[in-house]
Amino acid sequence: MLDHIAIATRDATAMRKLYELIGFEVHKVEEVPSQKVVATFLELHGVHVELLEPTSDDSAVAKAIAKRGEGLHHLAFKVPSLAEAMQRLRAQGYGFIYDEPQPGAGGKKINFIHPRDGGGVLVELCE
Ligand code: CMX
C-alpha cells in the first residue's frame, strides 16, 4: 500500500501552506538525523504527504534539490517485511541504496530502490 508521497523542499513551513489550504492537516514534524532531514507529515482522507527539508548540505535531499530542483522526491510503499522484500527484489536484480534497512521517521525501517531501477522514480519500501 502507498505509505506516503515525499516532496523535497527548501522551506517546509512555506510549502505546507498549500497543502493546508487544500485541506491537509499537519500531524507530525520530526527531525530524522539518519537522513539529515526534517520531515513534515500531512494527511487528508488517508493520503499522506511528507515534506522533506534538508538539515545539512550533504543530505541526500539537499543534493537532490541542488541537482534536480525542488519537487517530487520519492514514493513510499509499506511492506509487511522489509528484509523479505529486499531479498525477493534483489534476487530479481533490483538494487537497493543501503545494504541493510535504515531507521526512518516514526520508528520505521526503510530502504530505497535506486531510481535507475525504478524507471526514474526513487521508491522507498518501509516496514
Ligand atoms: N528521484 C528520481 N531520480 C533521482 C532522484 C530522485 N529523488 N535522485 C537522484 N535521481 C537520479 C539522478 O538525477 C541521476 O540521474 P541521471 O543518471 O539521469 O543523471 C540518477 O538518479 C543517479 O544519481 P546519482 O548521481 O548516482 O546519485 P545521487 O548522488 O543523485 O543520489 C540517490 C541519488 C537516490 C542514490 C540518493 O538520493 C539516495 O541515497 N537516496 C536515498 C536516501 C534518501 O533519499 N533520503 C531522503 C528521504 C528520507 C526520509 O524519507 O526520511
Side-chain angles (χ1 to χ4, degrees):
M1 104 185 218
L2 181 66
D3 189 75
H4 61 267
I5 299 160
I7 293 165
T9 177
R10 292 188 186 91
D11 184 349
T13 307
M15 193 70 243
R16 71 190 244 184
K17 185 177 170 195
L18 167 66
Y19 291 92
E20 289 176 317
L21 287 168
I22 293 168
F24 281 82
E25 286 187 7
V26 173
H27 67 92
K28 193 168 55 168
V29 178
E30 181 180 344
E31 182 163 358
V32 187
S34 59
Q35 295 292 326
K36 299 180 181 167
V37 293
V38 171
T40 300
F41 292 92
L42 297 123
E43 196 259 338
L44 174 65
H45 302 312
V47 175
H48 294 262
V49 169
E50 178 185 15
L51 303 179
L52 293 172
E53 184 181 313
T55 54
S56 157
D57 286 347
D58 65 348
S59 110
V61 173
K63 288 183 195 162
I65 291 173
K67 201 166 181 177
R68 302 159 40 85
E70 296 177 296
L72 184 63
H73 186 262
H74 65 262
L75 298 178
F77 300 100
K78 196 180 287 183
V79 291
S81 164
L82 180 54
E84 183 277 331
M86 284 170 56
Q87 192 178 33
R88 193 158 34 80
L89 273 86
R90 276 180 173 151
Q92 296 293 320
Y94 291 92
F96 281 84
I97 304 285
Y98 303 116
D99 291 341
E100 300 292 336
Q102 298 295 303
K108 287 178 187 148
K109 292 190 248 177
I110 62 173
N111 206 342
F112 295 85
I113 297 165
H114 199 283
R116 88 175 138 256
D117 287 345
V121 177
L122 178 62
V123 174
E124 175 185 322
L125 297 184
C126 61
E127 177 191 332

